[in-house]
Amino acid sequence: MAGQFERHPFLLTAQDVAQALETDLERGLSSTQVAQLQEKYPPNELDIGGAIPWYKIFLKQLFNAMILVLLFAMALSFGVNDWVEGGVLLAVIVLNVSIGFYQEYGAEKKMDALRALSAPSAMVLRDGRTQVVPNAEVVPGEVIILKMGDTVPADIRLFEAMNLAADEQSLTGESVPVEKIIEHLEDEELGIGDRINIAYGTTTIRKGRGRGVVISTGMQTEVGRIAASTTKKKHKAGRSMNYKKYGKRQPIIGLARRIYDFVGKFLGLTEGTPLQIKLSKLAYMLFGSALLLAVIVFAVNEFHVPKEVVIYAISTGIAIIPESLVAVLTITMVVAVTVMRKANVVVRDLSALEALGGVTNICSDKTGTLTQGAMIVRKVWIPAKTTYTVKDSKHPSNPTEGIVTFSEQDDQNQEPEKRDFDQERSAAVLKFDVPDEKLNPPKRKEKDEEEASMSIELEAFLLSAALCNLATVRHEPEPKEGFPEWQVTGEPTEIALQVFAHRFQKGKKVMEAEGWKQVSEFPFDSGIKRMTVIYDGPNIDHSMVFTKGAVERVLDLCSTVGVGNSQEPMTDENKEKIIKQMDSFASQGQRVLAVASREWDGKYKEKTSPGNHEGDDALRQRVESGLTLLGLVGIYDPPRKETTPAIAECSSAGIKVHMLTGDHPATAEAIAKEVGIIPRNLGILGHDVASAIVQKANDFDKLSDAEIDALPELPLVLARCAPDTKTRMIEALRRRFAYMAMTGDGVNDAPSLSRADVGIAMGSGSDVAKSAAKIVLTDDKFNSIVAAIREGRRMFDNIQKFILHLLTSNVGEVILLICGLGFQDESGFSVFPISPLEILWINMLTSSFPAFGLGREQASRDVMRKPPRNRKRGVFTNQILIDMLVYGLLMGTLSLMTFVIIIYGANDGQLGVDCNREFSDACVPVFRARAAVFAELTWLILVSAWEFKDIRRSLFRLNPDDSSKFPLFKDVYENRFLFWAVVLGAVSVFPVVYIPVVNRNVFKHTAISWEWSLVFAATIIFVTGMELWKLAKRQFRLLEDAAVVRGAFSQGSEEGGRKFHHTFSFSSLKSWRTIGRTHTTDTRASTN
C-alpha cells in the first residue's frame, strides 16, 4: 500500500489520507507528481500470468516418464543398427509428443480468448481538470471520479459519495451491492467486505456517483494480493537450509530433500495427478523389468553377447513396454476434452479431467455458482395476515414464469414445540423405534394455498413497490441473439420488486401510463437504509408518499398497519408480530424489506435545496412520518434449477458438496437446505454432527488444526468466508485424504482454486480466477461440473480397460519370449518364438487401434453410482492386476503351446540354424511356427478387446436389461470404431502372413496351412477361459468394487433425507455419527 499511513486508510479521515499521499482532494495530483509516481510505482495492472510459453508445454510433453523410457529403447535400437525398430519407436515418440503439445497449446489459446480486460480507462482529476487515462497509468494519490457503470481502477478511499453502491460480488462473494459512506470507521478488525468507505479495484459501481483518492494500485490492491497468493510458491516442510534456526545438520537435510524433490518432479514421481504418478511409476518399473529380462537373456547365453543376443534382449524389453500406451492415453484424453469443450467445459490441462474423475469433495461458492447471482421475490406478507408465495420461478427477470399463491395463515406460525427425542433415547437399548412424527414431519397442505388474485391490500403494496423503484423491466418479443426475452436494468433488489409487480400487470411503466407522475425523490441513503418517492396520482387531489427500506428503519416511522377495513394502529403488539414475521423470512434465507405509504396533505409543493442539507433532512423527516405499513417482502438469490439434481448425482457418486460463501449464515443455511447440501430437518443427524455441518467462518478459523480434525464432520456450509478460510478448509479436507475440487468465479475464490486438487472457474468470472483454475466452465452451470466428473470417470474406466488390454498382451509376449530362451538351435543361440518386428507390429498396430476403441467406450450405467476411486491404487486395482496376470498367463501359455506343437509335435524339434537372421530350408518349421504364433497372438489380443468392454460381465450378455436372446453382435457393433478395429485387425493377419518377401525378410515368418486349426482352437479356448474367470468373479463376488457409503441423508434429496425403516440397530446409529469420516476418506473394499 502506497503512502506512510499510521493506520489503514479506512480508519483515517479522507484529509489524513490525502495528507499522507501528498495530494489535493480538490485539484488532484499535478502532472509533475504523476510523472514521478509512475517512475516509483509499477503500472496499475494485475500480474495474473499470461499463456504458458509453447516451449514449456513442449518440454513438459517430452520429459514424460514413458517418453523417457521409449527414448532409451530407441537409442539402444539405433545403437545396434536396428534401424527399423528404432525408426518405429521414433515415430511413436513424435506422435505422442505432438498430440499432447497440440492439445495443451490449443487450450492455452482458448484461455487467451477468455481473458478480458477489466477497467481499461479511468476518469482522474489532475491539475484541477478531469482527464480520461488508461487504467495502467493510475498512480497512488490520484483522485478518481466514479459514476454508475464504471469499473473501479484501483483501491480508493472515498471522500464523496452520493447514493453510491458498488458490486463487490467478485471480491467478497456478496451478491447485494454495498452502499458506500465517506466517514472513517473505528473497528480495526473489520474485514474487507465491511470497510464500506473503500471502493476496491475491479469492482463495479451499480448506482450513484462519488470521488475518492487512490491508496493502492496493481498487485498492492486487495485483488492484487489475492492474485499474488495464487501464484506464490509454498515451500514444503523440512526444505529450509537455515542452520541457525534448525541446527547444523539442516543444510544437508534440506539440500538432500530439495534434490529429491527436483529429481522426483523431473521423473514425474512426486508431482502430478494420481494417474500421472502411477503411469510414471509403471514406466520405470517396466524399464527395470526390461533390464532384468535383458540380464536373464545374457545369463542364458553365458554373457556371450553378440549382436543376435542383444537384439533378443531388446525384443524382450520391447515386449514388456506398451509402446502405444502414451499415444492411446493422450488421444483418449483429447477425445474427452473435445467432448467437454462441446459441453461448455474448457480443460486447460489434459490431466485435469482425469483428476476430476477422482474427486471426493467439491467446495463450491454459492453466489453465481449454486445460485443464479440474481434476486427474486420469494414471499410477500400483507398485514391482513396473508402471505403470497412465488413458486416454480427459476428465471428472476421473467414475470411470466411460475405462479403466485396465497395463504391466509401467517408464515410466522410455526409448528408446536416438539420433544427432543434424541435426548430422550437411551444408549443402552440395542433397538428403538423412531417416532413417526420425527420421520415424517407434517407439511403444510397444498390445498391451503390458492393462486393469488388482486385485492385492495395487494394493490396498495404493488403500487408502492413499483413506483418507489428505479429498476426497469422490458419485454423483447424477438430478442437479439444471446439476449433474454425479458431484459432488466437496475439494482438487483429493485429488479426483483419490479418483476413481482409485473406479475400482476402493475409495473412502473403501466402505473405511469395510467397517470401517476413523480414529483420528488429522496434517494436511498445507506445511513438510514430507505428510499422515498412522491407521486401525483390520477383522479386524486393529493400526493402520495411511497417508501421502502430496512424493516427496522421503516417500522419506526409507521403509525398504522394495513389499509381499508383491516387498518390498525401500530401498537407494540403489532410491531412484535411484524418483527417475528421478518425473522421468519430471514430464517429462510431471504433479505427482508418493508414497504409503506401515506397520503400527503394536498399536492406536494416543497422543493429541496442543493446547499441546504439541514433543511433537506428536516423535510425528509417530515415526509417520512406517519406512514402506513403495507407489507413485508422476502427477496432471495434463487438456486439454479439444475443445482439440486447435480448435487443429488454427486451424492450417488460418493462426492460431498460443501458450500463456502461470503453470505450471511441464515441465508447460506437456507439455500443449502433448498438445494439439498444439508437436510431440511437437522434432527435426523446426531447433535454433534448437526452442530458441525453449518458454521460461521470466524468460528471455524478459531479452531486449531487438531480441533478441526476432531470434528465428526467437516462443515458442509461455511458462511462469511474469507479467502484464508477457504484454503484452510481445503487443507482440512486434504488431511482427511480427500481429493477436492473448488468451484468459483470471484477474485476471492482464486487462492482456493490454485490450492485445490482441481480448480474450476466460471467463464463469466474474473481473470484472476480463470488463471488460477485448471478447468473453466463457459456456461457457469453447476451441472456442467457433474458432466465433467462423469466424463472423467468414463475416461478413467476406459483407461483401466485399455491398460488391461495392452499389459495383458505384454505379459503374454514376455512369457512367450522368456520361455523361448529354452529353444536353442545347433549354434547355441535362442530362437525367437516371435520376431522383434512381429512384436512391434502387434504392440503398435494390432493393440493400438482396439485400445483407441476402448478409450471411446460409452460410460457404464453405474459410473455415477460408484465411490471415487482409491487414489493410492489408481488404475492398478487388485482386479486389474489379477486379471492382467490371469489373461496374460493364459495368452502366453496358449501361444507357447502352439509353438511347441508345431516344432516338437509336427517337426521333431527342428530349430534350424541362424533362423533369427535369415530364412533357409532348415528354418521352415521355425518360420511356420512363428507365423502361427503371430496370427494366434494377434487374434487373442483382438478378441480380448471385445471382452474388456466390461471386465466383469460376459461378452455374450453385456447389457443385463437387454431381452434379446443373442445380443452379441448388437453389443460389439455399438462401438463401431472398436468393432472395425478388431475386424480389420483380424483380417490384416492374412496379408502379413502371406505376402512374399515381406513375410520372410521382414517379419521372419512364412505362409501356413494346417496351423490355422491351432489358431482357431486357441482362440476358442482363450474366450472360454476369459468367460469362466468372469463367471467366477461374478458368482463368488471376487474383486468387487465397494458400494457408496451413505450417511444419515443424501445430498440433493427432495425431502432432505432418506427414508428409513422404523427399527434399526444401534450400530447403524453409530455409523450416522461418523458420516464425515466415511465420506471424506476413500472407502473401498479390501480388494482394491
Side-chain angles (χ1 to χ4, degrees):
M1 185 173 295
Q4 299 298 321
F5 299 112
E6 296 178 0
R7 295 189 297 168
H8 195 286
F10 79 87
L11 301 169
L12 304 175
T13 64
Q15 289 72 23
D16 290 339
V17 173
Q19 185 177 355
L21 293 169
E22 300 179 357
T23 189
D24 186 336
L25 297 182
E26 298 302 323
R27 294 184 54 81
L29 295 171
S30 66
S31 299
T32 304
Q33 285 179 300
V34 171
Q36 292 173 348
L37 291 170
Q38 285 177 345
E39 292 181 2
K40 181 178 179 181
Y41 296 104
N44 179 34
E45 296 172 335
L46 294 180
D47 182 15
I48 56 176
I52 302 173
W54 66 268
Y55 60 87
K56 287 189 176 181
I57 298 175
F58 175 76
L59 290 176
K60 178 182 176 183
Q61 298 297 325
L62 185 61
F63 292 116
N64 173 284
M66 193 68 76
I67 297 296
L68 291 175
V69 172
L70 292 177
L71 283 170
F72 181 83
M74 179 194 71
L76 201 58
S77 297
F78 284 139
V80 295
N81 299 327
D82 195 341
W83 307 112
V84 176
E85 194 171 305
V88 172
L89 290 173
L90 177 61
V92 172
I93 293 169
V94 171
L95 179 66
N96 287 325
V97 173
S98 300
I99 292 173
F101 174 80
Y102 174 78
Q103 172 57 34
E104 290 209 24
Y105 187 71
E108 281 303 315
K109 287 297 182 184
K110 181 79 172 179
M111 282 306 301
D112 286 342
L114 288 175
R115 294 186 181 102
L117 294 175
S118 59
S121 62
M123 182 176 288
V124 302
L125 185 64
R126 291 180 182 173
D127 297 317
R129 293 176 298 177
T130 58
Q131 302 179 35
V132 176
V133 301
N135 191 51
E137 295 181 8
V138 172
V139 294
E142 202 92 71
V143 173
I144 303 293
I145 300 170
L146 300 171
K147 63 182 184 301
M148 186 174 69
D150 285 352
T151 301
V152 183
D155 285 0
I156 296 170
R157 170 64 167 90
L158 297 168
F159 61 85
E160 182 181 298
M162 298 297 291
N163 197 26
L164 186 67
D167 183 352
E168 298 179 351
Q169 179 175 333
S170 68
L171 183 65
T172 65
E174 182 64 59
S175 59
V176 179
V178 179
E179 302 291 337
K180 296 298 181 180
I181 66 172
I182 61 174
E183 292 79 12
H184 70 282
L185 304 172
E186 300 290 346
D187 188 356
E188 296 185 3
E189 301 299 323
L190 290 176
I192 59 175
D194 297 318
R195 300 171 186 174
I196 55 178
N197 56 10
I198 303 288
Y200 295 105
T202 73
T203 62
T204 54
I205 303 300
R206 296 303 296 266
K207 66 177 181 179
R209 58 184 176 81
R211 291 192 300 167
V213 58
V214 174
I215 56 175
S216 54
T217 58
M219 297 302 288
Q220 295 303 311
T221 61
E222 292 295 339
V223 173
R225 292 176 181 179
I226 294 174
S229 70
T230 66
T231 56
K232 184 169 60 177
K233 293 184 178 180
K234 289 186 68 178
H235 295 289
K236 293 182 181 179
R239 270 64 178 174
S240 173
M241 298 178 68
N242 189 336
Y243 70 91
K244 293 181 179 179
K245 187 175 181 180
Y246 298 103
K248 295 181 178 180
R249 296 176 57 192
Q250 186 59 36
I252 299 174
I253 297 174
L255 179 62
R257 289 178 175 175
R258 288 186 182 189
I259 293 173
Y260 171 81
D261 291 341
F262 174 79
V263 174
K265 181 180 179 180
F266 178 80
L267 296 178
L269 297 174
T270 57
E271 290 191 15
T273 65
L275 178 61
Q276 288 176 318
I277 294 173
K278 287 291 180 184
L279 291 180
S280 294
K281 291 180 178 178
L282 171 67
Y284 298 124
M285 182 186 73
L286 293 178
F287 179 65
S289 300
L291 294 178
L292 179 62
L293 292 175
V295 171
I296 292 174
V297 172
F298 295 154
V300 169
N301 288 274
E302 298 179 352
F303 293 96
H304 175 61
V305 284
K307 180 179 177 181
E308 289 75 9
V309 175
V310 173
I311 292 175
Y312 197 105
I314 294 175
S315 301
T316 308
I318 288 174
I320 202 173
I321 296 175
E323 289 86 355
S324 61
L325 176 58
V326 177
V328 174
L329 180 65
T330 304
I331 292 175
T332 300
M333 286 185 169
V334 168
V335 171
V337 167
T338 304
V339 170
M340 293 314 303
R341 184 172 293 174
K342 292 178 181 178
N344 302 308
V345 179
V346 177
V347 181
R348 299 184 64 200
D349 189 330
L350 279 176
S351 63
L353 195 56
E354 170 266 320
L356 193 60
V359 162
T360 61
N361 297 70
I362 299 176
C363 298
S364 174
D365 188 25
K366 178 184 77 68
T367 305
T369 306
L370 298 173
T371 65
Q372 299 182 31
M375 307 298 281
I376 187 172
V377 170
R378 182 67 178 271
K379 286 181 179 291
V380 171
W381 175 80
I382 302 297
K385 296 184 179 179
T386 302
T387 301
Y388 294 86
T389 304
V390 178
K391 294 185 173 181
D392 304 324
S393 177
K394 297 296 183 182
H395 296 91
S397 62
N398 188 347
T400 63
E401 185 180 78
I403 61 170
V404 181
T405 63
F406 78 96
S407 171
E408 298 294 340
Q409 182 182 8
D410 278 1
D411 200 62
Q412 73 190 53
N413 292 343
Q414 303 294 328
E415 296 171 20
E417 185 176 347
K418 302 177 191 163
R419 295 159 54 198
D420 191 343
F421 294 102
D422 289 325
Q423 297 296 327
E424 295 178 15
R425 292 188 186 117
S426 168
V429 295
L430 293 178
K431 291 189 177 183
F432 54 87
D433 290 331
V434 177
D436 187 66
E437 61 196 87
K438 179 90 171 181
L439 276 175
N440 304 298
K443 298 179 181 178
R444 181 174 298 170
K445 298 179 181 178
E446 291 293 332
K447 66 180 181 181
D448 291 342
E449 297 188 358
E450 303 173 7
E451 191 163 352
S453 59
M454 188 59 69
S455 65
I456 296 174
E457 296 83 3
L458 179 60
E459 187 173 12
F461 174 88
L462 293 173
L463 180 64
S464 184
L467 295 180
C468 188
N469 200 310
L470 301 179
T472 63
V473 177
R474 188 175 73 258
H475 183 232
E476 294 284 351
E478 297 180 0
K480 296 180 181 178
E481 186 177 354
F483 289 88
E485 182 180 352
W486 289 89
Q487 298 181 21
V488 296
T489 60
E491 196 269 331
T493 301
E494 293 194 327
I495 291 173
L497 286 170
Q498 199 65 256
V499 170
F500 183 75
H502 272 70
R503 291 181 180 277
F504 297 90
Q505 289 75 48
K506 294 292 182 180
K508 185 175 183 178
K509 285 188 176 181
V510 175
M511 295 295 97
E512 290 179 342
E514 291 180 0
W516 288 93
K517 183 179 179 181
Q518 183 174 342
V519 294
S520 187
E521 175 185 335
F522 294 92
F524 183 88
D525 188 321
S526 59
I528 58 177
K529 296 186 182 298
R530 61 179 179 268
M531 170 189 179
T532 296
V533 295
I534 303 171
Y535 270 78
D536 287 341
N539 305 320
I540 56 174
D541 57 0
H542 57 81
S543 300
M544 287 293 298
V545 176
F546 301 114
T547 300
K548 76 170 188 297
V551 176
E552 61 275 10
R553 298 302 180 93
V554 174
L555 210 56
D556 293 337
L557 306 176
C558 295
S559 57
T560 55
V561 184
V563 296
N565 296 330
S566 61
Q567 190 173 82
E568 299 177 1
M570 179 63 77
T571 61
D572 290 340
E573 182 181 356
N574 279 334
K575 189 176 289 189
E576 185 178 346
K577 288 181 179 179
I578 295 167
I579 294 297
K580 285 184 178 179
Q581 188 64 51
M582 178 192 73
D583 292 340
S584 175
F585 281 4
S587 67
Q588 298 171 45
Q590 299 166 28
R591 183 187 182 197
V592 188
L593 299 178
V595 177
S597 70
R598 63 165 288 199
E599 295 180 2
W600 186 256
D601 187 13
K603 294 291 186 178
Y604 183 83
K605 304 292 186 183
E606 284 74 2
K607 300 293 182 182
T608 58
S609 333
N612 187 5
H613 296 296
E614 293 183 4
D616 289 349
D617 291 343
L619 176 60
R620 181 166 192 164
Q621 189 174 358
R622 186 155 59 92
V623 170
E624 296 176 340
S625 62
L627 297 173
T628 297
L629 183 71
L630 302 177
L632 304 179
V633 56
I635 304 173
Y636 89 129
D637 182 7
R640 295 180 183 272
K641 62 182 179 181
E642 65 272 7
T643 295
T644 301
I647 291 174
E649 191 166 4
C650 286
S651 178
S652 68
I655 301 168
K656 292 193 74 66
V657 179
H658 304 255
M659 178 196 291
L660 280 61
T661 176
D663 267 350
H664 188 276
T667 304
E669 182 174 347
I671 294 295
K673 287 181 178 179
E674 185 164 353
V675 300
I677 289 178
I678 60 176
R680 295 183 185 273
N681 178 16
L682 293 177
I684 67 173
L685 305 176
H687 175 70
D688 53 348
V689 174
S691 61
I693 62 174
V694 181
Q695 291 191 31
K696 296 179 184 178
N698 55 357
D699 295 334
F700 184 77
D701 290 338
K702 290 176 183 176
L703 300 175
S704 65
D705 288 350
E707 289 172 327
I708 292 175
D709 294 342
L711 291 174
E713 165 82 0
L714 285 177
L716 298 179
V717 179
L718 264 178
R720 293 298 190 202
C721 268
D724 290 343
T725 309
K726 295 183 178 184
T727 54
R728 196 164 183 225
M729 176 68 171
I730 286 177
E731 294 304 324
L733 283 165
R734 190 166 281 132
R735 289 196 300 274
R736 296 192 181 206
F737 307 104
Y739 197 72
M740 79 295 299
M742 166 68 189
T743 69
D745 57 357
V747 175
N748 63 320
D749 298 321
S752 298
L753 289 173
S754 64
R755 284 179 172 80
D757 296 304
V758 183
I760 309 171
M762 302 299 150
S764 62
S766 66
D767 294 338
V768 176
K770 292 174 193 173
S771 298
K774 293 181 179 178
I775 292 175
V776 178
L777 305 182
T778 58
D779 62 357
D780 290 10
K781 293 182 179 179
F782 190 82
N783 65 332
S784 294
I785 300 169
V786 181
I789 290 174
R790 189 186 303 111
E791 181 64 19
R793 289 192 171 195
R794 181 199 70 82
M795 187 188 72
F796 185 84
D797 286 349
N798 291 347
I799 287 173
Q800 278 193 318
K801 293 174 184 176
F802 68 64
I803 283 180
L804 176 60
H805 172 253
L806 294 174
L807 293 184
T808 294
S809 63
N810 290 142
V811 170
E813 291 165 5
V814 168
I815 289 173
L816 182 62
L817 285 170
I818 290 299
C819 293
L821 288 171
F823 305 133
Q824 294 187 345
D825 60 16
E826 296 176 5
S827 59
F829 291 119
S830 297
V831 176
F832 294 139
I834 186 169
S835 71
L837 259 296
E838 286 176 326
I839 294 172
L840 280 175
W841 180 272
I842 290 172
N843 286 0
M844 288 305 305
L845 295 177
T846 303
S847 297
S848 296
F849 290 104
F852 292 147
L854 287 172
R856 298 166 65 97
E857 277 288 295
Q858 296 297 316
S860 64
R861 291 176 299 279
D862 61 347
V863 70
M864 292 298 284
R865 297 174 192 164
K866 298 186 294 186
R869 63 181 179 274
N870 187 329
R871 292 191 299 116
K872 292 183 178 179
R873 299 304 301 271
V875 292
F876 299 103
T877 62
N878 283 354
Q879 180 167 210
I880 294 298
L881 292 175
I882 293 174
D883 283 355
M884 179 182 69
L885 293 176
V886 169
Y887 301 143
L889 182 63
L890 182 59
M891 186 181 293
T893 301
L894 288 172
S895 302
L896 185 64
M897 292 305 298
T898 298
F899 189 85
V900 169
I901 289 171
I902 295 172
I903 295 295
Y904 294 96
N907 293 282
D908 298 326
Q910 186 177 349
L911 291 171
V913 179
D914 205 17
C915 294
N916 289 344
R917 181 180 298 180
E918 57 188 5
F919 176 78
S920 64
D921 291 339
C923 292
V924 169
V926 172
F927 272 51
R928 292 176 68 94
R930 280 188 193 142
V933 168
F934 168 75
E936 180 180 313
L937 205 53
T938 299
W939 283 9
L940 298 188
I941 291 170
L942 292 171
V943 170
S944 72
W946 275 345
E947 285 281 0
F948 293 145
K949 282 172 69 70
D950 193 305
I951 59 177
R952 295 187 69 85
R953 297 203 60 81
S954 169
L955 172 64
F956 302 96
R957 182 67 64 178
L958 291 174
N959 184 359
D961 301 325
D962 196 330
S963 57
S964 304
K965 291 185 178 180
F966 191 72
L968 174 64
F969 180 78
K970 181 172 66 176
D971 288 341
V972 297
Y973 192 66
E974 182 182 30
N975 184 340
R976 296 188 182 184
F977 186 97
L978 177 60
F979 175 82
W980 289 113
V982 172
V983 171
L984 294 178
V987 172
S988 70
V989 168
F990 297 100
V992 173
V993 169
Y994 289 106
I995 292 178
V997 182
V998 172
N999 57 359
R1000 293 182 178 179
N1001 294 343
V1002 176
F1003 289 98
K1004 310 300 183 190
H1005 62 222
T1006 192
I1008 55 176
S1009 54
W1010 65 269
E1011 291 89 349
W1012 284 109
S1013 61
L1014 296 177
V1015 175
F1016 281 104
T1019 304
I1020 295 172
I1021 294 172
F1022 182 70
V1023 171
T1024 303
M1026 292 190 76
E1027 288 294 324
L1028 289 174
W1029 175 241
K1030 284 185 178 182
L1031 177 64
K1033 288 197 295 183
R1034 294 194 304 272
Q1035 203 70 17
F1036 300 105
R1037 307 190 69 170
L1038 302 175
L1039 310 170
E1040 225 175 27
D1041 287 331
V1044 174
V1045 178
R1046 301 293 182 104
F1049 76 101
S1050 298
Q1051 286 190 319
S1053 168
E1054 291 291 332
E1055 300 181 1
R1058 290 174 26 228
K1059 292 186 177 180
F1060 302 98
H1061 298 292
H1062 282 248
T1063 305
F1064 29 146
S1065 67
F1066 181 76
S1067 61
S1068 65
L1069 175 64
K1070 183 178 179 181
S1071 70
W1072 298 351
R1073 295 169 62 89
T1074 58
I1075 61 173
R1077 298 186 183 280
T1078 57
H1079 276 332
T1080 55
T1081 57
D1082 284 339
T1083 52
R1084 296 292 185 282
S1086 58
T1087 60
N1088 286 353

